[in-house]
Amino acid sequence: MQKLNILALTKSTGGIALYNRLLLTELGRVGMGSETLCLSDGAAEYALSLTSKGLGATPMDMARYSIDPRGDLRVLRHAIARIRADEIDVMICHGSKAGFIGRAAGLMTGCPVVYRQASMPFLPRVQGRKAPFYWALDFAARGFGGHVVTLSDYARSQTLRHRLVPPDRISIIRTGVDIDRFRPSRDRAARVRDLGLDPARPVVGWMGRIEPQKAPFDYVETLRLVADRHPEAQFVLAGEGRLRGEVENALAAAGLSDRVAMLGWQPEPALVLRAFDVYVLTSHWEGLPLTLLEAMASGCCCISTDVDGCAEAIEDGVSGRLLAAGATGAMAATLDEVLRQPDLRHRYSGAARHRAVTLFDKSEMIDKWIQLLSRMTAETAIAARTS
């Protein structure tokens, strides 16, 4: 297997940053070196999280949601300098802006570039009237070359529909999870006690960034509708974010402060998920959410909104339930159903684990990345020799 030197460009928060760290950590295990240009908010903290794992990282300022000619040009020049000085074999760029800058650097240096797309399927929901600008940005970068990786069939179809890349320059590599680390627990009782809860009672959990995308208020409303019907159930909300204070106020207003355990950020999500009987995801947009896949691999009964890649993760009525975003009444009814029917809950959880093992194994994800990166660098080397 060819050993490569990788330069990554990514924003420093959210699922994009987690994906980059997971990918480069696993590629590092097979001998590939990497350096990440950590961009936008949280860059210094994210760089530390990478260097603590033995990965190279450089924090850089970059305006996340606006054009900043001076700052963007600074990132572009730095990327070009690193490509030339460090003999970079391939670049991996996560997200629209990093993808544009990275592909421009690849065009100027001849370095092959992979643009790992993040938000194309749900741009209108995220950016509103700015969405055409982001499509235009990606369309302009089409001429720079490079290869696009999407996380789902839906994302690929949307990208091709908007003619943002030719069909031969796009691949689907689904997010993968460590199915040995995230697995059904033989020590559930101990894990539940670690959360300060009663292992004799079912646990319903929500875990993620407490941000608008994740719609935590929909979870609060769902619980308001269903909690009184299930005094035996225990409810958890784990995570941190800008909306935490407002969510706590909403729980108090709903009379749920004593029913919902606010756990904060969890450094070991695998241990927390082993305590959950039911996992609820209320997001209004997602690519292919890592936490949902981790919950499936952990053998949770999963209830999720049907947005974007979520609809490809769960088979509705087979390996969990899918509901329209914002449909808190339907979500409450579904949660009521699985709490009333332990056999149904267990059937969903077993099918979820099987689906995660079959489709979302991290080892398959990494194998596909290695194959893609090796092919791209080999094609670039052949083109250089024949030019």
Side-chain angles (χ1 to χ4, degrees), residues 12-84:
S12 302
T13 57
I16 287 180
L18 291 175
Y19 187 100
N20 179 68
R21 186 169 63 202
L22 168 67
L23 176 61
L24 295 184
T25 298
E26 294 303 317
L27 293 177
R29 296 187 198 281
V30 296
M32 296 192 186
S34 68
E35 175 78 19
T36 297
L37 300 188
C38 307
L39 308 173
S40 68
D41 304 338
E45 182 179 357
Y46 181 56
L48 285 175
S49 77
L50 294 175
T51 56
S52 69
K53 292 183 173 292
L55 305 171
T58 302
M60 295 194 71
D61 292 332
M62 184 189 79
R64 182 172 168 183
Y65 292 124
S66 61
I67 294 178
D68 173 19
R70 182 177 298 176
D72 297 344
L73 185 58
R74 182 172 59 250
V75 174
L76 174 61
R77 286 174 173 168
H78 189 83
I80 291 171
R82 296 304 292 264
I83 290 169
R84 290 172 174 164

Side-chain angles (χ1 to χ4, degrees), residues 28-193:
R29 296 187 198 281
V30 296
M32 296 192 186
S34 68
E35 175 78 19
T36 297
L37 300 188
C38 307
L39 308 173
S40 68
D41 304 338
E45 182 179 357
Y46 181 56
L48 285 175
S49 77
L50 294 175
T51 56
S52 69
K53 292 183 173 292
L55 305 171
T58 302
M60 295 194 71
D61 292 332
M62 184 189 79
R64 182 172 168 183
Y65 292 124
S66 61
I67 294 178
D68 173 19
R70 182 177 298 176
D72 297 344
L73 185 58
R74 182 172 59 250
V75 174
L76 174 61
R77 286 174 173 168
H78 189 83
I80 291 171
R82 296 304 292 264
I83 290 169
R84 290 172 174 164
D86 298 340
E87 298 182 344
I88 297 297
D89 297 300
V90 63
M91 296 180 67
I92 302 175
C93 307
H94 304 271
S96 295
K97 196 170 186 183
F100 184 91
I101 293 172
R103 283 179 285 176
L107 178 67
M108 296 176 187
T109 62
C111 181
V113 180
V114 180
Y115 164 37
R116 207 278 292 178
Q117 192 188 81
S119 60
M120 179 52 56
F122 45 81
L123 264 178
R125 279 167 280 159
V126 181
Q127 301 297 345
R129 288 179 296 178
K130 293 181 180 179
F133 164 76
Y134 283 89
W135 279 320
L137 195 67
D138 268 7
F139 190 81
R142 169 190 171 119
F144 296 169
H147 195 90
V148 174
V149 165
T150 68
L151 301 181
S152 66
D153 291 309
Y154 177 69
R156 182 180 186 276
S157 68
Q158 289 294 298
T159 302
L160 291 175
R161 184 169 74 87
H162 289 287
R163 297 180 298 161
L164 300 179
V165 65
D168 62 342
R169 282 180 23 214
I170 187 168
S171 302
I172 302 170
I173 302 180
R174 291 183 174 84
T175 304
V177 298
D178 187 337
I179 59 173
D180 294 322
R181 178 183 172 209
F182 292 91
R183 55 179 173 76
S185 177
R186 296 177 181 175
D187 57 352
R188 174 187 174 275
R191 300 286 73 79
V192 174
R193 290 192 191 97

